[in-house]
Amino acid sequence: GAGVSQSPRYKVAKRGQDVALRCDPISGHVSLFWYQQALGQGPEFLTYFQNEAQLDKSGLPSDRFFAERPEGSVSTLKIQRTQQEDSAVYLCASSLLTGNEQYFGPGTRLTVT
Amino acid sequence: GNSVTQMEGPVTLSEEAFLTINCTYTATGYPSLFWYVQYPGEGLQLLLKATKADDKGSNKGFEATYRKETTSFHLEKGSVQVSDSAVYFCALSVFAGANSKLTFGKGITLSVRP
């Protein structure tokens, strides 16, 4: 069956531009997570949704980062006024229910120049 | 807070060698422990997991035992293959309310030569 998909796979942005990263979770999965993976590091938690409710956004590094999941399915991570330190791979994961195995997408590699 | 520490890499082994990758953790609460693998050009995949002390997770010849007394979850394989070349991440999750977010270690790159 279809896994988690993310688009675009690669994004190059000039410093100061806004970007939007999309995640399509596995159909029917209630939980959705965003992680940020810097080069040579493990993924770090950004935010968590249960259906359309954003229950935890404690990992968002600044108020330039915003995530939404308005209909409880597709999610978008938006970064405003991108900075060089935002360069990373952004991973999306979904799970059927809270506490179940998380399935990861291929990630979006963001490069800010 | 929660954290995961993995041994420094990279690791290079010959085919059929024995593999150990160390992982220790600190956690508030009672964590579940995981090993994830990322093959070249692919996304993160769950390799194995253990949810309580003394549980052994196993998959594809890999094993790891949840050791509460040493707060460790070391990954082992008796005989590695070239196809095991990948990046391996140790992770934990503490179920807190409705959130089971993962905390990852830095990852370690394993290269297996023929």
Side-chain angles (χ1 to χ4, degrees):
Chain A
V4 178
S5 60
Q6 294 186 245
S7 60
R9 291 293 310 277
Y10 303 92
K11 177 70 179 177
V12 178
K14 288 190 183 351
R15 192 162 57 96
Q17 282 185 332
D18 298 348
V19 298
L21 313 180
R22 177 186 169 108
C23 171
D24 282 84
I26 294 172
S27 178
H29 278 198
V30 167
S31 298
L32 186 144
F33 302 81
W34 284 98
Y35 296 86
Q36 179 191 58
Q37 186 176 15
L39 190 63
Q41 303 295 314
E44 292 193 358
F45 170 79
L46 293 177
T47 187
Y48 163 67
F49 289 86
Q50 185 172 298
N51 295 306
E52 69 279 3
Q54 188 175 20
L55 298 186
D56 186 346
K57 52 184 180 179
S58 62
L60 296 176
S62 77
D63 58 8
R64 296 186 295 104
F65 286 70
F66 171 77
E68 60 183 6
R69 192 186 185 198
E71 296 179 358
S73 178
V74 171
S75 177
T76 304
L77 177 67
K78 297 180 179 177
I79 309 173
Q80 296 178 324
R81 304 181 304 282
T82 52
Q83 304 294 316
Q84 278 199 309
E85 62 263 28
D86 300 335
S87 295
V89 176
Y90 291 85
L91 298 170
C92 176
S94 70
S95 66
L96 182 60
L97 294 169
T98 301
N100 289 97
E101 176 182 347
Q102 293 184 30
Y103 294 85
F104 283 81
T108 294
R109 182 178 297 278
L110 172 66
T111 304
V112 181
T113 61
Chain B
N2 301 328
S3 67
V4 175
T5 302
Q6 293 185 232
M7 61 185 275
E8 293 288 324
V11 172
T12 302
L13 295 173
S14 296
E15 205 165 23
E16 299 184 3
F18 183 84
L19 170 72
T20 299
I21 302 177
N22 289 342
C23 171
T24 57
Y25 67 90
T26 58
T28 55
Y30 200 1
S32 295
L33 302 174
F34 306 84
W35 278 98
Y36 278 82
V37 60
Q38 189 167 33
Y39 298 104
E42 299 185 17
L44 274 171
Q45 303 173 25
L46 178 65
L47 179 60
L48 54 84
K49 69 178 182 182
T51 57
K52 61 183 190 294
D54 300 325
D55 265 3
K56 179 185 285 188
S58 61
N59 186 24
K60 299 183 181 179
F62 290 89
E63 292 183 340
T65 301
Y66 189 143
R67 301 285 187 203
K68 190 163 182 263
E69 63 276 14
T70 55
T71 61
S72 65
F73 193 54
H74 304 321
L75 183 68
E76 296 182 337
K77 187 173 186 182
S79 175
V80 293
Q81 305 301 311
V82 171
S83 57
D84 294 326
S85 298
V87 182
Y88 292 82
F89 295 92
C90 185
L92 68 81
S93 172
V94 178
F95 185 77
N99 191 347
S100 57
K101 63 187 176 188
L102 289 162
T103 299
F104 287 88
K106 281 190 172 183
I108 187 168
T109 300
L110 170 66
S111 298
V112 180
R113 52 176 185 243

